[in-house]
Amino acid sequence: MMLYVWFVIAGAFAGVSAGLFGVGGGMIIVPALVWIFTAYDFSPEVVTHLAIGTSLATIVVTSISSLTAHNKRGGVRWEVWRKMALGLVVGSLVGAGIADMIDGQALQAIIGVGALLVALKMLFFSNKEQVGKPLPPAGVQFGAGTGIGMASSIFGIGGGSLTVPFLNWAGLPMKQSVGTSAACGLPIALAGAAGFAWFGQDVVNLPEGTIGFVHVIGFLCISVASFAMAKVGAKLAHVLPALMLKRAFGVLLIFAGGQLLLSGLGVI
């Protein structure tokens, strides 16, 4: 029973973070699940893959909520989404296949490096709008979607930290970049979660209550808690200084990413 409580706590924290910092909860959920699954003595070979697959499944729910809210405000450029969507799906499925071939410890180190890179970007770099420039060709948008989908699936995230900078570069204003990125999270999460569920179906040392590399109860608990608490985070975001929030999240990711990297390398 305590395991379920930890799932709810992780989901609540991820939801508040998503609302506060404007990023998906994947960068919070994956490290949290790695720690939870390890503490409950799940097989080390499956811990990281199970954390990523479960995280992607939860992002299906949160991305629907987020894209709906942005779409109501006209923040989703569906013509851009359509050109990227197939690439996002293909990339996510390929990413799940690549992750399946990587050892769990090595995968932890890779995710740790990814979290550290996102942290550095949040702490030291900002997205610059290039409004008014023509959109890149459809092939470039498809290619970007493929790359973003592949990386996001390996890291267990919705891809906002990659999609928003691309859309900024492509000429979309920040609000449309964020809204369209939220919509892009859905095909990433659907294809990525399906891929991890498929590639994990024949793994023998998975715990009970899983569909491949997706922990069903973990998915349900985290989804409900993060969905509810994202609204709290969004309200706090309008009260607290934006720069302070950005730096706080960057520092949090440095700790989480550093721990995963060192653990993956066998240092701790």
Side-chain angles (χ1 to χ4, degrees):
M1 192 64 196
M2 194 61 199
L3 176 62
Y4 302 157
V5 174
W6 284 116
F7 286 148
V8 171
I9 292 171
F13 190 57
V16 171
S17 298
L20 263 178
F21 306 118
V23 299
M27 279 291 179
I28 297 292
I29 294 169
V30 172
L33 286 178
V34 167
W35 298 329
I36 292 168
F37 292 155
T38 302
Y40 278 83
D41 294 321
F42 287 19
S43 173
E45 289 82 16
V46 304
V47 160
T48 312
H49 296 81
L50 197 58
I52 296 170
T54 306
S55 172
L56 287 165
T58 67
I59 292 169
V60 173
V61 177
T62 53
S63 65
I64 290 172
S65 170
S66 182
L67 77 86
T68 303
H70 284 290
N71 192 47
K72 284 180 181 176
R73 296 173 175 83
V76 180
R77 289 281 293 272
W78 290 109
E79 79 280 10
V80 176
W81 181 88
R82 281 190 288 272
K83 289 171 183 172
M84 293 181 68
L86 181 58
L88 293 167
V89 170
V90 171
S92 297
L93 290 170
V94 171
I98 292 172
D100 183 53
M101 295 185 285
I102 301 174
D103 170 73
Q105 289 290 100
L107 196 54
Q108 271 193 47
I110 291 169
I111 295 168
V113 171
L116 290 172
L117 290 174
V118 173
L120 291 173
K121 177 180 174 296
M122 292 194 76
L123 288 170
F124 301 111
F125 301 95
S126 60
N127 296 319
K128 294 182 179 179
E129 292 193 14
Q130 300 187 47
V131 182
K133 63 182 284 191
L135 287 169
V140 173
Q141 294 179 53
F142 172 84
T146 304
I148 290 167
M150 186 163 60
S152 300
S153 185
I154 292 172
F155 293 129
I157 60 175
S161 55
L162 303 171
T163 312
V164 171
F166 168 72
L167 293 174
N168 273 168
W169 169 83
L172 270 63
M174 179 57 77
K175 288 183 179 179
Q176 290 184 358
S177 294
V178 172
T180 308
S181 172
C184 287
L186 184 57
I188 290 172
L190 281 169
F196 273 86
W198 173 263
F199 288 115
Q201 62 181 338
D202 295 325
V203 176
V204 293
N205 50 353
L206 284 168
E208 291 183 10
T210 61
I211 300 174
F213 289 126
V214 177
H215 194 289
V216 177
I217 299 296
F219 155 67
L220 293 172
C221 291
I222 292 169
S223 295
V224 171
S226 62
F227 187 85
M229 295 304 290
K231 294 176 182 177
V232 176
K235 288 180 180 178
L236 288 173
H238 290 283
V239 178
L240 301 173
L243 184 59
M244 186 193 81
L245 290 175
K246 191 176 179 182
R247 286 175 176 167
F249 191 68
V251 171
L252 178 66
L253 280 183
I254 285 176
F255 280 107
Q259 198 274 343
L260 282 175
L261 175 60
L262 294 174
S263 176
L265 294 174
V267 178
I268 56 174

